[in-house]
Amino acid sequence: MMHVKLMKTKRGTCSVEARRIWLNLELVKKPIYCLEYIIVHELVHLLELLHTDRFTALMDQPMWWQYREELNRAPLAQGGWEY
Ligand SMILES: [Zn+2]
């Protein structure tokens, strides 16, 4: 289940118990591949709750690192993103 809402400090969150992903509405202002990155990131959280080595390994694809860099270069409304 995927939901969208306006969030102040997060790009997206994932509730594993509820199998629910929230995406920040601000992301619609981003290129589609950025949205894709966040969705994949949150989906990986369904497999691995925390940012463990296993999580990193699951996300360890060159294209994702590129997207991540781009997102970090251009933060949304506020800096200090956490997701
Ligand atoms: Zn995360």
Short mmCIF file of all heavy atoms in Angstrom, two decimals, residues 12-14 41-42 45 48-51 55 68 82-83, ligand 1:
data_model
loop_
_atom_site.label_atom_id
_atom_site.label_comp_id
_atom_site.label_asym_id
_atom_site.label_seq_id
_atom_site.Cartn_x
_atom_site.Cartn_y
_atom_site.Cartn_z
N GLY A 12 10.34 9.81 2.76
CA GLY A 12 9.39 8.72 2.79
C GLY A 12 9.59 7.91 4.05
O GLY A 12 10.65 7.96 4.66
N THR A 13 8.57 7.22 4.44
CA THR A 13 8.72 6.34 5.58
C THR A 13 8.07 5.02 5.23
O THR A 13 7.24 4.94 4.33
CB THR A 13 8.05 6.89 6.86
OG1 THR A 13 6.67 7.10 6.57
CG2 THR A 13 8.70 8.16 7.33
N CYS A 14 8.45 4.04 5.97
CA CYS A 14 7.94 2.72 5.69
C CYS A 14 7.51 2.08 6.99
O CYS A 14 8.28 2.02 7.93
CB CYS A 14 9.04 1.89 5.02
SG CYS A 14 8.53 0.22 4.72
N HIS A 41 13.98 2.41 -2.02
CA HIS A 41 14.56 2.48 -0.69
C HIS A 41 13.55 1.99 0.36
O HIS A 41 13.87 1.16 1.21
CB HIS A 41 14.98 3.93 -0.39
CG HIS A 41 15.59 4.12 0.96
ND1 HIS A 41 16.94 4.27 1.15
CD2 HIS A 41 15.01 4.18 2.18
CE1 HIS A 41 17.16 4.41 2.46
NE2 HIS A 41 16.01 4.37 3.10
N GLU A 42 12.33 2.51 0.24
CA GLU A 42 11.31 2.13 1.23
C GLU A 42 10.90 0.67 1.06
O GLU A 42 10.61 -0.01 2.04
CB GLU A 42 10.10 3.05 1.13
CG GLU A 42 10.40 4.53 1.37
CD GLU A 42 11.11 4.83 2.70
OE1 GLU A 42 10.94 4.04 3.65
OE2 GLU A 42 11.84 5.84 2.77
N HIS A 45 13.16 -1.54 2.77
CA HIS A 45 12.89 -1.57 4.21
C HIS A 45 11.90 -2.67 4.59
O HIS A 45 11.86 -3.11 5.74
CB HIS A 45 12.35 -0.22 4.70
CG HIS A 45 13.45 0.73 5.08
ND1 HIS A 45 14.47 0.40 5.93
CD2 HIS A 45 13.68 2.01 4.69
CE1 HIS A 45 15.28 1.44 6.05
NE2 HIS A 45 14.83 2.43 5.31
N GLU A 48 14.43 -5.33 5.00
CA GLU A 48 15.41 -5.03 6.04
C GLU A 48 15.02 -3.72 6.70
O GLU A 48 15.06 -2.67 6.06
CB GLU A 48 16.81 -4.95 5.38
CG GLU A 48 17.94 -4.84 6.36
CD GLU A 48 18.13 -6.09 7.22
OE1 GLU A 48 17.95 -7.21 6.70
OE2 GLU A 48 18.43 -5.95 8.41
N LEU A 49 14.63 -3.80 7.96
CA LEU A 49 14.08 -2.65 8.65
C LEU A 49 15.07 -1.49 8.81
O LEU A 49 14.72 -0.33 8.60
CB LEU A 49 13.58 -3.10 10.03
CG LEU A 49 12.81 -2.07 10.86
CD1 LEU A 49 11.56 -1.59 10.12
CD2 LEU A 49 12.43 -2.67 12.20
N LEU A 50 16.28 -1.81 9.18
CA LEU A 50 17.25 -0.77 9.47
C LEU A 50 18.29 -0.64 8.36
O LEU A 50 18.37 -1.49 7.48
CB LEU A 50 17.97 -1.07 10.80
CG LEU A 50 17.03 -1.16 12.01
CD1 LEU A 50 17.77 -1.71 13.21
CD2 LEU A 50 16.39 0.18 12.33
N HIS A 51 19.08 0.42 8.45
CA HIS A 51 20.12 0.64 7.44
C HIS A 51 21.35 -0.20 7.79
O HIS A 51 22.42 0.31 8.09
CB HIS A 51 20.50 2.13 7.36
CG HIS A 51 19.35 2.99 6.91
ND1 HIS A 51 19.19 4.28 7.29
CD2 HIS A 51 18.31 2.71 6.08
CE1 HIS A 51 18.09 4.77 6.74
NE2 HIS A 51 17.53 3.84 6.01
N PHE A 55 21.00 -4.13 4.27
CA PHE A 55 20.22 -3.11 3.57
C PHE A 55 21.06 -2.46 2.48
O PHE A 55 20.65 -2.34 1.33
CB PHE A 55 19.74 -2.04 4.57
CG PHE A 55 18.87 -0.98 3.94
CD1 PHE A 55 17.49 -1.10 3.97
CD2 PHE A 55 19.43 0.13 3.31
CE1 PHE A 55 16.69 -0.13 3.37
CE2 PHE A 55 18.64 1.09 2.71
CZ PHE A 55 17.26 0.97 2.74
N ARG A 68 20.95 8.73 -5.36
CA ARG A 68 21.07 9.17 -3.98
C ARG A 68 21.93 10.44 -3.91
O ARG A 68 21.60 11.39 -3.19
CB ARG A 68 21.73 8.05 -3.18
CG ARG A 68 21.81 8.30 -1.71
CD ARG A 68 22.70 7.23 -1.10
NE ARG A 68 23.36 7.75 0.09
CZ ARG A 68 22.90 7.56 1.32
NH1 ARG A 68 21.81 6.87 1.50
NH2 ARG A 68 23.52 8.07 2.35
N GLU A 82 16.14 12.79 6.38
CA GLU A 82 16.28 11.49 6.99
C GLU A 82 15.22 10.64 6.33
O GLU A 82 14.10 11.11 6.12
CB GLU A 82 15.96 11.65 8.47
CG GLU A 82 16.48 10.54 9.33
CD GLU A 82 16.01 10.76 10.74
OE1 GLU A 82 16.56 11.69 11.37
OE2 GLU A 82 15.11 10.06 11.17
N TYR A 83 15.57 9.42 6.00
CA TYR A 83 14.55 8.59 5.35
C TYR A 83 14.89 7.12 5.50
O TYR A 83 15.97 6.80 6.00
CB TYR A 83 14.38 8.95 3.87
CG TYR A 83 15.66 8.91 3.08
CD1 TYR A 83 15.98 7.77 2.36
CD2 TYR A 83 16.52 9.98 3.09
CE1 TYR A 83 17.17 7.74 1.63
CE2 TYR A 83 17.69 9.94 2.37
CZ TYR A 83 18.01 8.81 1.65
OH TYR A 83 19.16 8.78 0.94
ZN ZN B 1 15.76 4.28 5.09
#
